[in-house]
Amino acid sequence: MSENEELTTSDLDESAADLTEDSTQIEAEELVEVIAEFERYRERLVNETMAAAQKAKLPQKAAMAKIEPELAKIDAGLDSLRTQLAAITTNN
């Protein structure tokens, strides 16, 4: 941009819109990554708990009951993240 050129309001609005779109895209990508991490963590928690229960010859129901509060927290977090992702993607 040369010294004589001035930024107009529409130039600033376009720049702000581009930045908002870019940051929204980044936020959406980060949310997708976090959701995937939580899903992998949940699956690993269940699998490792079941394997440990089997080795200890504990009933699966008893093992699942022990981790149910943690699973509920993970599921609530996943629901919240998915809601945020849906809000971001539908607003674009």
Side-chain angles (χ1 to χ4, degrees), residues 15-76:
S15 295
D18 289 344
L19 286 174
T20 301
E21 187 175 315
D22 289 345
S23 65
T24 301
Q25 179 64 31
I26 292 169
E27 286 178 30
E29 290 171 6
E30 289 174 351
L31 281 173
V32 168
E33 289 176 24
V34 171
I35 289 168
E37 282 290 322
F38 265 116
E39 289 171 340
R40 284 191 294 272
Y41 171 68
R42 186 187 194 288
E43 185 176 339
R44 190 173 69 245
L45 179 62
V46 170
N47 290 340
E48 290 176 2
T49 300
M50 291 299 104
Q54 189 174 14
K55 285 180 183 178
K57 299 187 192 252
L58 294 173
Q60 285 186 352
K61 279 188 174 184
M64 286 301 290
K66 292 280 187 186
I67 64 169
E68 188 57 42
E70 185 68 20
L71 293 177
K73 289 179 190 176
I74 294 168
D75 290 342

